[in-house]
Amino acid sequence: MRQFLIAGNWKMNLDRAGSVTLAEQLAERLNGSDGAEVAVCPPSVYLDAVASVVKGTPVVLGAQNLYPAAKGAFTGEISPGMLRDLDCTYVILGHSERRHVLGETDEFINRKVLAALEAELRPIVCVGELLEEREAGKTAEVIQKQFEQSLAGLSAEQIREIVIAYEPVWAIGTGKVASPEQAEEVHLHLRKLLESRYNHEIAETIRIQYGGSVKAANAKELLAQPNIDGALVGGASLKADEFMAIVEAAPATVS
Ligand code: PEP
């Protein structure tokens, strides 16, 4: 059984008061709910404030990035241990904005994934093709390469801690959502990659989220696909009503 995971990636949005208010609204509305697991990933400077709000509530905290070293001369960076210290459970790694705006490679993402696991953080590892790669019929190849390289060297025990997020780059922040069939095809491909590298049981255990312009209006159809186990939500996670509607669109568990 896989429990759905709906995670809000707040990116570089909201201020301190707005982050606290949004976290309070979600915590209050999720109180007593036994549906999907819900995580919020605020900007790093507001993690502490949001952590205080969500402590003891069903809302789980995630970070948007880390640097793969325990400590040292890495000006401006945040270590996995620091994120644990702030009560983070998850960390988003390999997001397309970090791949394409900040030039992160699969090799660097892999170092981050291993460092996160070492610190007992659960990585949400993003993969996804560019529009030109999809149009050239290269989606499966691109996804396989990102899967193999960003998740290189993970033991069977470590892969169980991972969430994969399929996020077609052309659908992120554009309002263009992948059709449920397009998304399901890639999710199934990822599950087969997991099965061939590990085994059937592991492949069936790992959660694979979809991300890319998910909103209340399209969430139900996407989340009804057999291999879509949740959503990584950007823009629509910034408003409590919209985000809660996505959370409510998720069935309790995937069998
Ligand atoms: C994201 O940032 O991971 C994302 C999917 O953004 P949006 O929902 O805004 O497309």
Side-chain angles (χ1 to χ4, degrees):
M1 296 285 253
R2 302 186 292 268
Q3 186 186 19
F4 277 80
L5 172 61
I6 310 294
N9 174 12
W10 295 357
K11 309 194 189 191
M12 199 171 73
N13 292 302
L14 302 175
D15 57 13
R16 184 186 178 90
S19 297
V20 166
T21 302
L22 181 53
E24 282 171 349
Q25 288 169 335
L26 297 177
E28 192 181 310
R29 291 173 65 167
L30 280 160
N31 202 9
S33 96
D34 58 356
E37 183 181 10
V38 175
V40 294
C41 305
S44 58
V45 289
Y46 303 133
L47 279 168
D48 207 15
V50 172
S52 306
V53 174
V54 301
K55 199 177 176 71
T57 79
V59 181
V60 176
L61 193 63
Q64 298 178 17
N65 186 34
L66 58 69
Y67 189 80
K71 62 176 184 167
F74 303 103
T75 302
E77 296 294 337
I78 302 173
S79 75
M82 290 169 181
L83 297 178
R84 285 295 298 156
D85 204 18
L86 292 174
D87 287 340
C88 288
T89 299
Y90 291 102
V91 57
I92 300 171
L93 297 174
H95 191 279
S96 75
E97 286 146 19
R98 298 206 64 90
R99 289 176 183 270
H100 300 292
V101 181
L102 296 152
E104 289 192 6
T105 62
D106 282 312
E107 188 272 332
F108 188 48
I109 294 160
N110 181 238
R111 285 176 49 208
K112 292 184 176 200
V113 170
L114 293 167
L117 291 167
E118 180 78 17
E120 298 186 1
L121 285 165
R122 303 194 67 182
I124 297 176
V125 181
C126 306
V127 296
E129 80 287 1
L130 298 165
L131 183 58
E132 55 265 37
E133 291 168 335
R134 173 161 283 270
E135 286 174 348
K138 290 190 172 156
T139 300
E141 189 188 319
V142 168
I143 298 298
Q144 180 162 356
K145 177 178 163 286
Q146 291 177 351
F147 170 87
E148 281 170 0
Q149 297 185 356
S150 61
L151 296 175
L154 268 67
S155 67
E157 198 186 326
Q158 288 174 314
I159 197 76
R160 289 180 193 277
E161 298 302 315
I162 300 282
V163 175
I164 299 176
Y166 168 54
E167 298 210 310
V169 181
W170 49 271
I172 298 177
T174 58
K176 280 190 214 157
V177 64
S179 69
E181 296 71 27
Q182 283 174 319
E184 171 62 17
E185 189 182 16
V186 177
H187 283 232
L188 183 59
H189 178 50
L190 280 162
R191 211 170 297 285
K192 286 188 177 150
L193 290 170
L194 285 164
E195 179 159 354
S196 60
R197 196 204 284 182
Y198 298 96
N199 59 44
H200 181 71
E201 187 269 319
I202 287 179
E204 287 301 314
T205 306
I206 308 296
R207 292 177 296 178
I208 308 176
Q209 296 177 301
Y210 169 78
S213 297
V214 175
K215 42 185 186 278
N218 57 30
K220 205 173 173 116
E221 243 194 319
L222 285 160
L223 296 171
Q225 299 302 308
N227 287 290
I228 299 185
D229 312 319
L232 182 54
V233 186
S237 70
L238 297 172
K239 295 253 157 52
D241 285 346
E242 184 76 11
F243 188 62
M244 280 307 299
I246 297 170
V247 172
E248 281 155 14
T253 47
V254 186
S255 54

